[in-house]
Amino acid sequence: MDDEGAHLAAAYADCIQIGARNMQNYSLLKTVGRLRKPVLLKRGMAATVEELLLSAEYILSEGNDQVILCERGVRTWDPSSRNMFDLNAIPTVQKLSHLPIIADPSHGTGVRERVTPMARAAVAAGADGIIIEVHPDPNHALSDGAQSLFPHQFADLVRQLRQISEAIGRSISAPTARA
Amino acid sequence: MDDEGAHLAAAYADCIQIGARNMQNYSLLKTVGRLRKPVLLKRGMAATVEELLLSAEYILSEGNDQVILCERGVRTWDPSSRNMFDLNAIPTVQKLSHLPIIADPSHGTGVRERVTPMARAAVAAGADGIIIEVHPDPNHALSDGAQSLFPHQFADLVRQLRQISEAIGRSISAPTARA
Amino acid sequence: MDDEGAHLAAAYADCIQIGARNMQNYSLLKTVGRLRKPVLLKRGMAATVEELLLSAEYILSEGNDQVILCERGVRTWDPSSRNMFDLNAIPTVQKLSHLPIIADPSHGTGVRERVTPMARAAVAAGADGIIIEVHPDPNHALSDGAQSLFPHQFADLVRQLRQISEAIGRSISAPTARA
Amino acid sequence: MDDEGAHLAAAYADCIQIGARNMQNYSLLKTVGRLRKPVLLKRGMAATVEELLLSAEYILSEGNDQVILCERGVRTWDPSSRNMFDLNAIPTVQKLSHLPIIADPSHGTGVRERVTPMARAAVAAGADGIIIEVHPDPNHALSDGAQSLFPHQFADLVRQLRQISEAIGRSISAPTARA
């Protein structure tokens, strides 16, 4: 994504997502900092928590205070998962910053059967939200099918997440579908 | 710990713990494989999930089938936590092995205020148990005080864990104190 | 750096450097792929060798075949150096690609006293070039002083590098200063 | 290796090697610290330079001051090599300690064609020695054939290493074969 793409997205979308590979694309961060749209800033593949917060500052310092941080798994030496899903980052960010932090267990694990347990873990760790990929026919999805839940799995998951939220003194509003 | 230490521990203890630095001490693994005591095998600091399972085989192949695996955080490039607590390892192990896997959020985070959220996350991810350090006066503990919960924090945590367990279709038995 | 910056740099500079944080800024890679200037592409902080080569493809596929790769140290769990200088990447790239690869021991180590041994090591490993920071008064340099050589150290180093080059069947042309 | 193995090895061998997986086997380190044989201590797969030096202290503090450290590659997120060969560790150790440090490019790379460039790099970085696997018929070697040099490659390498040593003001004594 570049400056032109950011403006184009802002004309149609409700929220601009900065992907992991652009987390330190400072020019793009400043551009979206001048938009009046919420920005979802994903953690870079080997970015420290401190670097994630410093990247957010590039957006905030341009006047856009609608920044949502996102843990989506980081790179390590263990090939057993596509990424290592660093849930410890959630309480760490919440201690250091006022910004909300959500989690993306679909990219964080890359494998459908791990999405449910790790989505539950993210909420239990205190995440302010989660992004879940769900598809009516994941085996024929155009992208990311292997990490997309079936609709009935998603319904089960939401039920569990409501209970976990209550257990830790929070609550969940109805999920919003994105076409 | 060496062979002599393992035999001495077995004479008094209910369970032998193999620490992270000894996860690939094959001689010690074979020794505890010949004991008739449960063995708690902690994941090495940079051990892959596959290596953890292969280390367990050294114990199992000597005839001791009472092996409990433990995720306790691994080493990465992010200094924001002492370890990166790899909860993804829990569903990964449960897919690949029949062995129970528990989590140690006290060592996995190293900071008291993160123990509660990450203990909740471990249970939500499906851990078969957790180890929590708790102390009546953590600020004067002889070791690991900074990651030890106060008793009232522990009581709150257990209440939350019971609810999370129910949410995911499991239950928790009463905690066992270790002097 | 963004598109406008790339065009501005191209108007004045002999070579465009894409820094580590921009290695996967695909929009910028395509922009410099349409320029007619050599591009120095630095390896990202946690980029695999394969990803470095794939990023080069973004430039090449736009028609600019003057791409020079650069190993500048990567991120690991060892705080004893600012970066881990991965000289193994040099023969690995040379096996997989026709593109030249150079090394940056100043950033790769971050400490003056390690620049000389690691510059020698880079040449001995077969690097097609090196970048060395040198300053007449490094203690008062505006940036990167701690990793800049004194002029007499640089002269000594070049002498050693000539001999190492000969030892491995290569030769060194006279160094080019950059103001 | 355990205590009994260490004593058995000491009865026949000129030098005791502590492998990477045993670098923090403190019981074994103390045992070899009480022997009167040189000890080759290999760096653990994810051990920091500081941890390598601290492991050496376990041997030294028992009275054995014949300790040789060895860089043999460490674990990272890049699958392009079996290990990342951290030559930066050589000047770092030499700054912090009086102990000699050698390098093992055969294990450090795991691939025959990279052994020669990385052996040269290790000597150029100032290594106090190197270990090279060489075999008259590597394709039929019982172990580690893929990283073993052919005899003629080894002869070429030694010639190059002599010149590199001279270039940096050191010299190489005749290599010692180990059956």
Side-chain angles (χ1 to χ4, degrees):
Chain A
M1 188 150 83
D2 57 7
D3 286 14
E4 196 184 319
H7 283 99
L8 188 64
Y12 296 92
D14 292 324
C15 179
I16 309 289
Q17 176 181 302
I18 304 294
R21 288 170 187 76
N22 276 315
M23 194 201 82
Q24 292 188 314
N25 180 343
Y26 302 127
S27 165
L28 181 61
L29 296 177
K30 285 188 223 167
T31 296
V32 300
R34 289 187 291 266
L35 298 176
R36 288 297 162 266
K37 289 278 180 176
V39 176
L40 179 61
L41 179 63
K42 291 194 134 184
R43 183 181 183 181
M45 256 173 292
T48 63
V49 166
E50 187 183 23
E51 288 171 337
L52 173 61
L53 294 173
L54 291 172
S55 281
E57 292 293 324
Y58 278 81
I59 303 171
L60 297 168
S61 67
E62 294 292 326
N64 187 346
D65 59 3
Q66 299 183 80
V67 178
I68 304 161
L69 306 174
C70 184
E71 164 62 31
R72 45 75 77 201
V74 293
R75 178 165 282 178
T76 73
W77 34 260
D78 190 349
S80 74
S81 284
R82 193 173 59 173
N83 293 301
M84 194 171 279
F85 196 40
D86 179 21
L87 292 179
N88 221 335
I90 291 170
T92 305
V93 163
Q94 288 172 335
K95 173 79 176 179
L96 296 171
S97 170
H98 70 289
L99 294 171
I101 178 160
I102 70 172
D104 177 353
S106 305
H107 284 86
T109 66
V111 181
R112 186 181 305 137
E113 69 203 7
R114 293 182 207 156
V115 171
T116 288
M118 297 313 286
R120 296 185 317 218
V123 170
D128 298 305
I130 54 174
I131 317 178
I132 299 281
E133 288 179 293
V134 56
H135 194 282
D137 184 10
N139 295 328
H140 297 93
L142 293 179
S143 84
D144 290 336
Q147 68 194 38
S148 293
L149 294 186
F150 287 90
H152 71 91
Q153 292 176 313
F154 181 65
D156 278 354
L157 174 59
V158 172
R159 251 191 306 278
Q160 295 180 27
L161 296 182
R162 283 193 198 285
Q163 285 184 263
I164 293 171
S165 291
E166 274 168 37
I168 68 168
R170 301 185 72 165
S171 65
I172 291 182
S173 54
T176 307
R178 201 184 56 174
Chain B
M1 187 152 82
D2 56 7
D3 287 13
E4 197 185 318
H7 283 98
L8 188 63
Y12 295 93
D14 291 324
C15 180
I16 308 290
Q17 176 180 302
I18 304 293
R21 288 169 187 76
N22 277 314
M23 193 202 83
Q24 292 188 315
N25 180 342
Y26 302 128
S27 163
L28 181 62
L29 296 177
K30 285 189 222 167
T31 295
V32 300
R34 290 187 290 266
L35 299 175
R36 290 295 163 268
K37 288 280 179 173
V39 176
L40 180 61
L41 179 63
K42 291 193 134 184
R43 182 180 184 182
M45 257 173 290
T48 64
V49 166
E50 186 183 23
E51 288 171 336
L52 174 61
L53 294 173
L54 291 172
S55 281
E57 293 293 325
Y58 278 82
I59 303 170
L60 297 168
S61 67
E62 294 291 327
N64 187 347
D65 60 4
Q66 299 184 80
V67 178
I68 304 160
L69 305 174
C70 183
E71 164 62 29
R72 45 75 77 199
V74 294
R75 178 165 282 179
T76 74
W77 33 261
D78 189 350
S80 75
S81 282
R82 192 173 60 173
N83 293 302
M84 195 170 280
F85 196 39
D86 179 21
L87 291 179
N88 221 336
I90 290 170
T92 304
V93 163
Q94 288 172 335
K95 173 79 175 177
L96 297 171
S97 170
H98 69 289
L99 294 173
I101 178 160
I102 69 172
D104 177 353
S106 305
H107 283 86
T109 65
V111 181
R112 187 180 304 138
E113 69 203 5
R114 294 182 205 156
V115 171
T116 288
M118 297 313 286
R120 295 185 317 218
V123 169
D128 299 305
I130 54 173
I131 317 179
I132 299 281
E133 288 179 292
V134 56
H135 194 281
D137 185 9
N139 294 329
H140 296 93
L142 293 180
S143 84
D144 290 336
Q147 67 193 39
S148 294
L149 295 186
F150 287 91
H152 71 93
Q153 292 177 312
F154 181 65
D156 277 354
L157 173 59
V158 172
R159 249 190 308 278
Q160 295 180 26
L161 296 182
R162 284 192 197 286
Q163 284 183 264
I164 293 171
S165 291
E166 273 167 37
I168 69 169
R170 300 186 74 166
S171 65
I172 291 183
S173 53
T176 307
R178 199 184 58 174
Chain C
M1 188 151 83
D2 57 7
D3 287 13
E4 196 184 319
H7 284 99
L8 188 64
Y12 297 92
D14 292 324
C15 180
I16 308 289
Q17 176 180 302
I18 304 293
R21 288 169 189 76
N22 276 315
M23 193 201 83
Q24 292 188 315
N25 181 342
Y26 302 128
S27 165
L28 181 62
L29 296 177
K30 286 189 222 166
T31 296
V32 301
R34 290 188 290 267
L35 298 176
R36 290 296 163 267
K37 289 279 180 173
V39 176
L40 179 62
L41 179 62
K42 291 194 135 184
R43 182 180 185 182
M45 256 174 290
T48 64
V49 166
E50 187 183 23
E51 289 171 336
L52 174 61
L53 294 173
L54 291 172
S55 281
E57 293 294 324
Y58 279 80
I59 303 170
L60 297 168
S61 67
E62 294 291 327
N64 187 348
D65 59 4
Q66 299 184 78
V67 178
I68 304 162
L69 305 174
C70 183
E71 164 63 30
R72 46 74 79 202
V74 293
R75 178 165 282 179
T76 73
W77 34 261
D78 190 349
S80 74
S81 283
R82 193 172 60 173
N83 293 301
M84 194 171 281
F85 196 38
D86 179 21
L87 291 180
N88 221 336
I90 291 169
T92 304
V93 164
Q94 288 172 336
K95 172 81 176 179
L96 297 170
S97 171
H98 69 289
L99 294 172
I101 178 160
I102 70 172
D104 176 353
S106 306
H107 284 86
T109 66
V111 181
R112 186 180 304 137
E113 69 203 6
R114 292 181 208 158
V115 172
T116 288
M118 297 314 287
R120 296 186 316 218
V123 170
D128 298 305
I130 54 173
I131 318 178
I132 299 281
E133 288 180 291
V134 55
H135 194 281
D137 185 10
N139 295 328
H140 296 94
L142 292 179
S143 84
D144 290 335
Q147 67 194 38
S148 294
L149 295 186
F150 287 91
H152 70 92
Q153 293 177 312
F154 181 64
D156 278 354
L157 174 60
V158 173
R159 251 190 308 275
Q160 295 179 25
L161 296 182
R162 285 193 198 285
Q163 283 184 264
I164 293 172
S165 290
E166 274 169 38
I168 68 168
R170 300 186 73 165
S171 65
I172 291 182
S173 54
T176 308
R178 200 184 58 174
Chain D
M1 187 152 82
D2 57 6
D3 288 12
E4 196 184 320
H7 283 99
L8 188 63
Y12 295 92
D14 291 324
C15 180
I16 308 290
Q17 176 180 303
I18 304 293
R21 288 169 188 76
N22 277 315
M23 193 201 82
Q24 292 187 317
N25 181 342
Y26 301 128
S27 164
L28 181 61
L29 296 177
K30 286 189 221 166
T31 296
V32 300
R34 289 187 291 265
L35 298 176
R36 289 297 162 265
K37 289 278 180 176
V39 175
L40 180 62
L41 179 63
K42 291 193 135 184
R43 184 180 183 181
M45 256 174 290
T48 63
V49 166
E50 186 184 22
E51 288 171 336
L52 174 61
L53 294 173
L54 291 173
S55 281
E57 292 294 324
Y58 278 82
I59 303 170
L60 298 168
S61 68
E62 294 291 327
N64 187 348
D65 59 4
Q66 299 183 79
V67 178
I68 304 161
L69 305 174
C70 183
E71 165 61 31
R72 46 75 76 201
V74 294
R75 178 166 282 179
T76 73
W77 34 261
D78 189 350
S80 74
S81 284
R82 193 172 59 173
N83 292 301
M84 194 170 280
F85 196 39
D86 179 21
L87 292 179
N88 221 335
I90 291 169
T92 305
V93 163
Q94 288 172 336
K95 173 79 175 179
L96 296 171
S97 170
H98 69 290
L99 294 172
I101 178 160
I102 71 173
D104 176 353
S106 306
H107 283 86
T109 66
V111 182
R112 186 180 305 136
E113 70 203 5
R114 293 182 206 156
V115 171
T116 288
M118 297 314 285
R120 295 185 317 219
V123 169
D128 299 305
I130 54 174
I131 317 178
I132 299 281
E133 289 180 291
V134 55
H135 193 281
D137 184 11
N139 295 329
H140 296 93
L142 293 179
S143 85
D144 289 337
Q147 67 194 39
S148 293
L149 295 186
F150 287 91
H152 71 92
Q153 292 177 312
F154 181 65
D156 278 354
L157 174 60
V158 172
R159 251 190 308 277
Q160 295 180 26
L161 296 182
R162 283 191 198 287
Q163 283 183 264
I164 293 171
S165 291
E166 273 168 37
I168 69 168
R170 300 187 73 166
S171 64
I172 291 183
S173 53
T176 307
R178 200 183 58 175

